Amino acid sequence: MKQTVALGLFSGGLDSILACRVIADQGLKVVALKFVTPFFDYDLLEKKEVYAAEVERKYGITVELVDLSEGYLDLLRNPLHGFGKNFNPCIDCKILMLTRAKELMAQYSASFLVTGEVMGQRPMSQRKDTLRLIERDAGCTGLLLRPLSAKLLAPTMAEQEGRVDREQLFAFSGRGRKPQMALAKALGIKDYPNAAGGCILTDCNLGGRIGKYYSGAYTPDSKDISVDDVNLLLVGRQFLLFDKYWLVVGRDEKENNRVASSWRPGDWLFEMTTHPGPTALLRFGDAQVEEQHKEEALNAGAGIAVAYSKKVNGKARPVEVTVTTGKGCFSQVYKPIAESVFQLWRIE
Ligand code: SF4
């Protein structure tokens, strides 16, 4: 008989590890889908094989990464079920992941879906009525099995069809972690994270920045936000020059490299030619800055970068900056701008 396949939603946290293992240990094949966006675990895309090998070795689970960025960036514009405490649209996020997982079922010949959700564990997205709403809006009613709380929920198709033995599932609920830890021990799972990888959208500072971007605080036209824009939003000091030009200034070498690697035609990149100092980037410079304001915007962008450059006798001095635009690059000496002036342009 052909082995039943289930697709698991895998955050990497203990609950999702257990949910996938509990089903796999009933003799089913589980493919764990790890969704990534620029807001969570995006760096894993650079080390797919290493990550998959590590999950297989530690937990005996086959994992595949799925980039959810495209739909996710749109979702943040106006999530139907609103935001949590910060800029985290948890209910719509789960609906989107399940919708995508359901679309992938045919590709994997999967019969049902699995998540590690535990009833009552999170106030917003794991109440019983919300669990039902999520599966309904994702078109997964009856298809989605939550092994850790299954005995508190109506039997799903996988249980009714006898693919999964409901008796071997669980009735966990609430915020306590003890039952999960005991189950991990019973399954021989030792090295697991205390929580799933951090979601930037729940961070009040960075999530707040992203929220501001969507509300137009960085650029009047936030319609076309890209992964690249998000990466730029998550680094450095952020400024809005003259109420409309978005400038990012790196705070250390790592951020300077990230700022520099974010440059794309149309942006203006400011780099200290020889003097130690930050790298700064003015997004959409060529397209956004009106001709009559170019000089002013160049002086401001370079001047802020110079103000953060290495001080000489306690003072920032004029230094040479190399400016790269979409039309080429040039070097020029720029004066630092007074902090009392440019701090008014800071977005935080
Ligand atoms: S915390 Fe982030 S990843 Fe998790 S459900 Fe909420 S928005 Fe999605």
Side-chain angles (χ1 to χ4, degrees), residues 41 54 64 68 103 127 166 237 271 300 314 335 337:
D41 299 317
E54 188 187 341
E64 299 214 1
L68 201 61
E103 285 164 7
R127 293 194 320 244
R166 183 172 168 88
R237 305 171 181 96
E271 294 170 291
K335 286 191 208 143
I337 292 192

Side-chain angles (χ1 to χ4, degrees), residues 190-258:
K190 293 188 193 105
D191 181 14
Y192 53 83
N194 287 327
C199 169
I200 284 166
L201 297 170
T202 60
D203 179 286
C204 65
N205 294 323
L206 292 176
R209 255 186 205 187
I210 293 155
K212 281 184 188 163
Y213 188 97
Y214 273 89
S215 63
Y218 283 75
T219 151
D221 186 5
S222 60
K223 279 202 296 291
D224 297 321
I225 186 166
S226 63
V227 170
D228 205 25
D229 292 331
V230 175
N231 285 333
L232 204 51
L233 271 175
L234 300 180
V235 294
R237 305 171 181 96
Q238 308 264 327
F239 299 89
L240 195 65
L241 311 185
F242 312 118
D243 289 333
K244 48 189 167 185
Y245 309 139
W246 175 21
L247 181 84
V248 181
V249 182
R251 285 173 295 199
D252 53 34
E253 197 184 340
K254 201 169 151 205
E255 288 195 347
N256 288 344
N257 291 338
R258 263 180 86 173

Side-chain angles (χ1 to χ4, degrees), residues 40 72 88-90 93-94 199 202:
F40 40 85
Y72 210 95
N88 47 311
C90 291
C93 172
K94 291 190 171 184
C199 169
T202 60

Side-chain angles (χ1 to χ4, degrees), residues 2-262:
K2 220 172 139 208
Q3 192 183 27
T4 298
V5 180
L7 288 186
L9 268 65
F10 187 78
S11 67
L14 179 58
D15 294 347
S16 65
I17 296 169
L18 293 174
C20 291
R21 270 294 300 276
V22 162
I23 298 304
D25 288 0
Q26 288 203 20
L28 285 78
K29 177 176 173 182
V30 176
V31 178
L33 303 176
K34 166 84 177 154
F35 289 108
V36 300
T37 73
F39 311 108
F40 40 85
D41 299 317
Y42 202 68
D43 54 330
L44 294 179
L45 290 175
E46 286 167 19
K47 45 177 181 179
K48 279 184 182 178
E49 286 80 21
V50 175
Y51 178 68
E54 188 187 341
V55 171
E56 181 80 51
R57 177 179 55 78
K58 280 187 178 168
Y59 315 122
I61 293 171
T62 305
V63 70
E64 299 214 1
L65 295 174
V66 181
D67 186 354
L68 201 61
S69 305
E70 212 182 306
Y72 210 95
L73 294 177
D74 275 344
L75 162 74
L76 284 172
R77 280 180 216 299
N78 188 18
L80 200 62
H81 301 286
F83 293 99
K85 205 166 148 211
N86 295 301
F87 201 57
N88 47 311
C90 291
I91 295 178
D92 291 279
C93 172
K94 291 190 171 184
I95 292 170
L96 183 65
M97 288 185 193
L98 278 171
T99 305
R100 186 82 185 99
K102 190 182 169 207
E103 285 164 7
L104 290 169
M105 283 176 68
Q107 185 181 322
Y108 290 92
S109 305
S111 304
F112 66 101
L113 301 171
V114 173
T115 69
E117 288 160 301
V118 171
M119 217 174 78
Q121 191 179 73
R122 295 191 203 288
M124 182 176 171
S125 60
Q126 291 181 220
R127 293 194 320 244
K128 193 168 187 173
D129 55 338
T130 316
L131 293 181
R132 268 203 298 264
L133 177 150
I134 289 171
E135 65 187 54
R136 184 200 67 199
D137 285 10
C140 293
T141 304
L143 269 185
L144 172 58
L145 176 61
R146 298 166 167 117
L148 303 187
S149 289
K151 284 183 169 168
L152 301 171
L153 300 164
T156 61
M157 283 191 298
E159 294 151 275
Q160 286 163 345
E161 289 165 358
R163 295 178 191 274
V164 171
D165 178 6
R166 183 172 168 88
E167 283 314 301
Q168 294 183 50
L169 302 179
F170 299 89
F172 298 167
S173 71
R175 290 166 167 261
R177 308 290 296 156
K178 280 193 184 148
Q180 284 95 316
M181 286 157 77
L183 179 58
K185 196 170 174 199
L187 295 176
I189 297 169
K190 293 188 193 105
D191 181 14
Y192 53 83
N194 287 327
C199 169
I200 284 166
L201 297 170
T202 60
D203 179 286
C204 65
N205 294 323
L206 292 176
R209 255 186 205 187
I210 293 155
K212 281 184 188 163
Y213 188 97
Y214 273 89
S215 63
Y218 283 75
T219 151
D221 186 5
S222 60
K223 279 202 296 291
D224 297 321
I225 186 166
S226 63
V227 170
D228 205 25
D229 292 331
V230 175
N231 285 333
L232 204 51
L233 271 175
L234 300 180
V235 294
R237 305 171 181 96
Q238 308 264 327
F239 299 89
L240 195 65
L241 311 185
F242 312 118
D243 289 333
K244 48 189 167 185
Y245 309 139
W246 175 21
L247 181 84
V248 181
V249 182
R251 285 173 295 199
D252 53 34
E253 197 184 340
K254 201 169 151 205
E255 288 195 347
N256 288 344
N257 291 338
R258 263 180 86 173
V259 168
S261 66
S262 295

